Amino acid sequence: MIPERFRQYCALQIHAGPGDAFFGMRACLSWQETKRQEVEEAIVNLWGGANHSIPLLSVRSGLHLLLQTLSLPRGSEVLISALNIPDIPAILELHGLVCIPVDLSINTLHVDMQQLRSAVTSRSRMIFIAHVYGARNDMTEIVRIAREHGLFLVEDCAEALDSSQYQGHPDVDVSLFSFGPIKYATAFQGAIMKVKEEELCRRLRKQHARWSGQRTVSYFFRCLKFFILTCLQRPFPLWLIIFILRLLGVDHQRLFVGLVRSFGRHVSPHHLLRKVARRPCLALLRSMLVRMERHLNGGNQDNRTCGMKMVKLLQPLVGSNILLPGLDASSHSFWIFPILVKNPRSLVTKLQADGIDASTGSTQITLVKRTRRRRTKGEEEEARSRRRGEEEVEKGARRREGGEEEARSR
């Protein structure tokens, strides 16, 4: 029996075991490309069929593919929920679009409907709603706003894949689901795009087929990495590796978070697009299929139960010392359990002393900043003309003042 002081509990769990990672490595070595169509058909049949779903490398890939296909005019505005990972607004901006963030309610983590309505302008073309931390927005009113103004509606469900088997609102144009490293039903990579209109799905598939394929060897080494990480996330091995890293002066949390992130750091935004514009290899598709089938059989039900237990334990402190974002959400899977406190560093130190490896930076989620919209050629010409007019007015005023001064001197 290992003493409790030699145990460390990881705050950032990988929802898979060494066996899942080993299956991925074995799939890299044994599955033949001739079976690709068979595996793809099995996947899409779980998501409404080939006319309504596409397996992808990542949610980032799905957004890039969608924007390539839609070809929205440069300068078009996208109303986006104000919390997301940095890569999402980066991809939107690389396609020449303008991000208009819409605030969330701290109590529900739902977008502010009044602000969403008031943010719509003549340049608005899309609404992009992300369900963050597992708290799912009620999409009914958002769908109504999108239809009233003729806006394309995208639902980012990367953090909302839970035991409810939710597959996107039926009236949303596109829904995106993630099977990335720290998601429920993880295949260590991968995503699904659910598409409402068959014609759009056909165009998306045609564009997707032009992309080059993911190298199987890269997925093999990804699975190897997660085989090691899943072995280390048990209490005693985790305590031991953290102890060694601290002796070496290495920030273990920054190291671990960097290891589990799907695409890591990018040399440039365009480098990100090159990395995500890949079709998933057959081994990844096979892993996704196995994880999906397990998920549809109720593989994630314990997470909501654990989340509700935490809420009950912390309920007496809510309002006085802490805030629990999303506590009043109508649907919550508690993918991440965020806590807002006045002094986060102090709380993290206390939790770590009790064997819980808490962190203030376990996810990439951050505030989305409003894009500085680039002027069109017409707007630039209008601005130059306005400036010339103002300069002429100033010169005229100075000439009049000079004439008055000369008259007074006479």
Side-chain angles (χ1 to χ4, degrees):
M1 183 71 178
I2 299 171
E4 195 64 31
R5 62 194 176 96
F6 295 129
R7 293 170 178 261
Q8 194 84 16
Y9 295 90
C10 188
L12 192 64
Q13 287 287 328
I14 300 168
H15 295 272
D20 298 301
F22 183 74
F23 176 87
M25 289 188 288
R26 192 178 63 184
C28 291
L29 301 174
S30 60
W31 287 91
Q32 299 176 355
E33 192 66 25
T34 53
K35 295 192 175 182
R36 183 183 185 90
Q37 186 176 353
E38 178 186 330
V39 176
E40 277 200 27
E41 284 180 1
I43 290 174
V44 297
N45 285 339
L46 297 174
W47 292 86
N51 293 326
H52 294 284
S53 58
I54 306 172
L56 302 162
L57 185 68
S58 69
V59 165
R60 297 168 180 86
S61 307
L63 179 58
H64 179 40
L65 176 65
L66 178 64
L67 297 177
Q68 274 190 335
T69 306
L70 293 178
S71 297
L72 297 176
R74 294 186 72 82
S76 298
E77 293 178 351
V78 178
L79 311 184
I80 180 172
S81 41
L83 285 180
N84 212 311
I85 61 172
D87 287 348
I88 296 298
I91 291 172
L92 290 168
E93 290 170 1
L94 283 168
H95 282 269
L97 306 179
V98 177
C99 295
I100 308 295
V102 181
D103 285 342
L104 309 182
S105 163
I106 191 69
N107 296 320
T108 61
L109 292 176
H110 296 174
V111 293
D112 185 319
M113 292 300 171
Q114 185 175 352
Q115 190 179 122
L116 181 64
R117 280 188 176 278
S118 62
V120 178
T121 70
S122 59
R123 291 188 294 270
S124 301
R125 295 292 182 273
M126 179 184 286
I127 299 177
F128 189 96
I129 300 297
H131 305 301
V132 294
Y133 300 130
R136 200 165 71 231
N137 285 258
D138 181 356
M139 298 297 294
T140 307
E141 182 63 20
I142 301 172
V143 168
R144 189 176 297 120
I145 294 171
R147 296 297 166 258
E148 283 176 10
H149 298 279
L151 304 180
F152 194 92
L153 182 54
V154 180
E155 183 183 15
D156 180 359
C157 305
E159 300 176 10
L161 186 66
D162 58 22
S163 58
S164 68
Q165 298 181 16
Y166 179 73
Q167 292 195 357
H169 191 283
D171 293 322
V172 167
D173 294 302
V174 164
S175 300
L176 296 163
F177 293 85
S178 174
F179 295 86
I182 57 173
K183 302 299 193 299
Y184 293 146
T186 177
F188 312 116
Q189 205 167 21
I192 284 287
M193 176 187 280
K194 189 84 178 288
V195 187
K196 179 185 175 185
E197 299 293 337
E198 290 187 16
E199 173 58 22
L200 176 59
C201 190
R202 185 190 64 77
R203 289 168 56 203
L204 289 163
R205 281 186 169 277
K206 187 176 180 180
Q207 178 65 31
H208 192 228
R210 296 191 182 107
W211 288 4
S212 58
Q214 176 194 23
R215 293 190 307 161
T216 302
V217 68
S218 71
Y219 184 64
F220 177 87
F221 282 110
R222 173 177 286 267
C223 290
L224 178 60
K225 176 177 70 174
F226 283 99
F227 177 82
I228 297 169
L229 290 175
T230 50
C231 290
L232 293 177
Q233 71 177 355
R234 297 175 183 177
F236 177 68
L238 181 63
W239 174 87
L240 183 61
I241 196 68
I242 289 175
F243 178 76
I244 294 170
L245 289 173
R246 283 175 177 169
L247 286 178
L248 297 173
V250 177
D251 185 338
H252 70 279
Q253 289 183 338
R254 180 177 294 182
L255 176 64
F256 288 166
V257 170
L259 285 172
V260 300
R261 286 180 177 171
S262 290
F263 292 96
R265 296 183 181 275
H266 322 303
V267 176
S268 67
H270 292 282
H271 182 228
L272 166 64
L273 292 188
R274 287 196 296 272
K275 288 197 289 186
V276 302
R278 296 280 187 274
R279 291 179 292 109
C281 67
L282 177 59
L284 171 55
L285 292 174
R286 181 58 185 163
S287 293
M288 287 171 61
L289 176 60
V290 171
R291 297 294 286 169
M292 285 176 193
E293 290 173 340
R294 193 182 307 173
H295 165 74
L296 292 173
N297 290 326
N300 298 317
Q301 292 179 358
D302 290 342
N303 299 294
R304 180 168 174 79
T305 304
C306 292
M308 293 306 297
K309 285 181 180 178
M310 281 293 293
V311 169
K312 288 181 180 178
L313 289 171
L314 295 171
Q315 193 77 52
L317 300 175
V318 173
S320 57
N321 298 312
I322 66 172
L323 281 175
L324 302 180
L327 189 60
D328 298 332
S330 55
S331 177
H332 206 320
S333 65
F334 298 100
W335 172 69
I336 290 285
F337 198 97
I339 302 174
L340 289 180
V341 294
K342 293 179 179 178
N343 191 344
R345 289 183 180 274
S346 175
L347 178 60
V348 166
T349 301
K350 290 176 181 177
L351 288 170
Q352 288 179 347
D354 288 334
I356 300 173
D357 190 36
S359 168
T360 56
S362 296
T363 75
Q364 296 184 73
I365 293 176
T366 186
L367 288 172
V368 176
K369 295 181 180 178
R370 185 186 181 102
T371 306
R372 290 186 177 181
R373 192 173 69 88
R374 294 181 179 178
R375 292 173 175 172
T376 63
K377 289 183 178 179
E379 290 172 332
E380 285 285 358
E381 187 60 40
E382 184 182 344
R384 282 195 292 269
S385 177
R386 194 185 307 117
R387 283 197 298 270
R388 284 195 295 267
E390 290 170 354
E391 288 170 1
E392 289 297 327
V393 170
E394 287 179 7
K395 287 178 183 177
R398 284 197 295 270
R399 281 197 295 267
R400 286 194 299 272
E401 287 175 3
E404 290 172 0
E405 286 286 340
E406 185 178 350
R408 281 196 294 269
S409 65
R410 289 177 181 174

